[in-house]
Amino acid sequence: MARLYEKLPRQVYETAKAIRDMRIRGAGRIARAAAAALREAAIAYTGPQSREDFYSYMEAAAQVILRTRPTAVSLPNAVAYVMIRLGEAYEAGAGVEELRKTVVRAAEEFIEYSRQAVERIASYGARLVEHGARILTHCNSSAAISVIVEAHRSGKEVVAYATETRPKYQGYITARKLREAGVPVTLIPDTAVRRIIEDIDLVVVGADAVAANGALVNKIGTSQIALVADEAGKPFYAAAESYKFSPATLLGDEVIIEERPAGEVVEPEKLAEWSRVRVANPSFDVTPAEYITGIITEQGIIPPESAYLILRQVFGRRVHEYHRYTTITATTILEEY
Ligand code: RUB
């Protein structure tokens, strides 16, 4: 395997590093970047014209991409989407050229599906939004933003509230994106959610993973917002493409919550001053299904309890194969390349 890692093209490592360092971030983008990196790896293959070598080379590329961030299930799902199709072509006896084409085709299919899924979510989600609605969102989710922007585009005169989203301030990106799209937006500290909830009509957030029991895994702080929305009687929606549903949870696994470096919470150059304090930086949290009004998917808006049905429908008999790729991300995060 070590020999194979050396042969992988630079793009594969660059994508992996960009995901790990969060220059590529947000579950949907991560998934599309993963599929694109596998496509690039297939195109760049110059090794021996042996099916076995090509297959092992693609497995090595998949491993590098997977061992970056553990929570967004869209990453292993995107990799599995491509690799399962490669595996089937391999089993059917395809030669190197055919295998290469299979990877390219599957990666492009996934990327196209993902783009269309976000558009459909925008259109379904916008129907939930009433004229003049005040919508709160958290972190930076392209799916959630697409709902707000589509509601605005259809003339509903919505206004948005975006949380800053400490410690990485992804809410700044959201506020800018909404502003650029023409949506009036108010940026608030994460701690202000309970104070402003009475001014809000609905909450729309994204998803890194949806479990079989309908629980939502999303940016840290999401579950607090859901609790506040519940207390105030405000609807709370998650926007999630079906490849953000976690097949591993069908088999009883829990979603791994990424713990990020302390230097994101306190100033990295002052870490020494904090050496006697343990700094925790969990990047995601879990919102139980009972706090979720609905999940906006590209297949329609579902109650969270129907997550199981989406999982059965999307992953069906391939659930064990998908599960294999989820376990790789979960077990070992690649430290250095
Ligand atoms: C991003 C985050 C987003 C989801 C959905 O976390 O929690 O809400 O990934 O995003 P991070 P999208 O910044 O740590 O990656 O809808 O764009 O897929």
Side-chain angles (χ1 to χ4, degrees):
M1 205 61 150
R3 207 171 49 84
L4 282 165
Y5 282 132
E6 283 161 26
K7 288 191 175 152
L8 293 174
R10 245 201 13 249
Q11 297 102 299
V12 171
Y13 292 106
E14 275 167 8
T15 302
K17 273 188 190 156
I19 293 173
R20 191 188 56 184
D21 303 343
M22 293 178 67
R23 281 173 287 122
I24 298 174
R25 45 150 300 285
R29 271 192 218 97
I30 289 173
R32 289 189 290 276
L38 292 178
R39 178 189 58 200
E40 295 316 307
I43 292 170
Y45 179 73
T46 51
Q49 291 302 296
S50 117
R51 300 160 15 81
E52 292 73 19
D53 280 351
F54 181 80
Y55 187 82
S56 313
Y57 161 93
M58 287 308 304
E59 267 289 333
Q63 299 266 344
V64 170
I65 296 290
L66 285 168
R67 293 176 186 192
T68 47
R69 293 188 76 190
T71 303
V73 72
S74 52
L75 171 64
N77 281 349
V79 170
Y81 183 93
V82 175
M83 295 301 290
I84 289 171
R85 281 155 183 81
L86 169 65
E88 284 168 355
Y90 182 82
E91 290 298 320
V96 172
E97 266 327 298
E98 195 46 43
L99 294 176
R100 191 200 308 269
K101 278 189 198 143
T102 303
V103 170
V104 171
R105 203 165 38 233
E108 284 171 359
E109 229 170 64
F110 180 88
I111 293 167
E112 187 48 31
Y113 183 89
S114 164
R115 294 219 170 95
Q116 285 183 15
V118 176
E119 280 171 25
R120 287 216 186 97
I121 285 174
S123 132
Y124 288 134
R127 290 184 212 163
L128 290 169
V129 177
E130 290 187 0
H131 187 80
R134 298 156 299 174
I135 311 169
L136 171 66
T137 189
H138 182 54
C139 193
N140 175 243
S141 154
S142 10
I145 290 177
S146 77
V147 170
I148 302 171
V149 170
E150 182 55 27
H152 164 80
R153 219 189 46 78
S154 63
K156 288 186 170 166
E157 290 186 18
V158 297
V159 299
Y161 286 72
T163 54
E164 284 183 311
T165 318
R166 265 200 53 86
K168 295 280 285 179
Y169 298 103
Q170 290 96 327
Y172 289 11
I173 310 172
T174 299
R176 275 191 220 110
K177 280 241 145 58
L178 289 168
R179 204 42 270 180
E180 278 161 21
V183 180
V185 58
T186 305
L187 183 69
I188 58 164
D190 301 336
T191 40
V193 169
R194 192 154 182 262
R195 168 81 189 163
I196 58 92
I197 196 73
E198 286 308 328
D199 299 339
I200 298 296
D201 296 301
L202 74 156
V203 180
V204 183
V205 297
D208 284 89
V210 178
N213 65 1
L216 165 72
V217 180
N218 191 50
K219 180 53 57 192
I220 192 77
T222 301
S223 67
Q224 281 175 193
I225 298 175
L227 280 178
V228 170
D230 183 65
E231 180 195 41
K234 306 291 167 104
F236 177 97
Y237 289 95
E241 304 90 299
S242 56
Y243 51 83
K244 293 178 183 163
F245 286 63
S246 165
T249 59
L250 268 184
L251 302 172
D253 281 4
E254 285 188 5
V255 175
I256 305 276
I257 302 294
E258 178 180 13
E259 184 71 31
R260 297 214 34 107
E264 291 180 355
V265 177
V266 296
E267 291 172 76
E269 53 284 1
K270 293 194 180 153
L271 266 178
E273 288 175 26
W274 292 97
S275 60
R276 295 175 64 197
V277 172
R278 191 177 90 81
V279 178
N281 186 13
S283 199
F284 300 95
D285 65 19
V286 182
T287 303
E290 65 206 84
Y291 297 103
I292 302 168
T293 313
I295 305 179
I296 311 163
T297 78
E298 76 275 21
Q299 307 194 8
I301 301 167
I302 60 159
E305 293 75 17
S306 297
Y308 175 78
L309 299 176
I310 294 271
L311 278 163
R312 289 302 301 269
Q313 184 198 318
V314 174
F315 302 103
R317 65 189 165 80
R318 287 171 163 164
V319 72
H320 287 277
E321 291 167 85
Y322 272 90
H323 182 238
R324 185 163 86 76
Y325 290 94
T326 317
T327 342
I328 297 171
T329 16
T331 46
T332 21
I333 306 299
L334 206 64
E335 285 303 330
E336 256 338 302
Y337 307 121

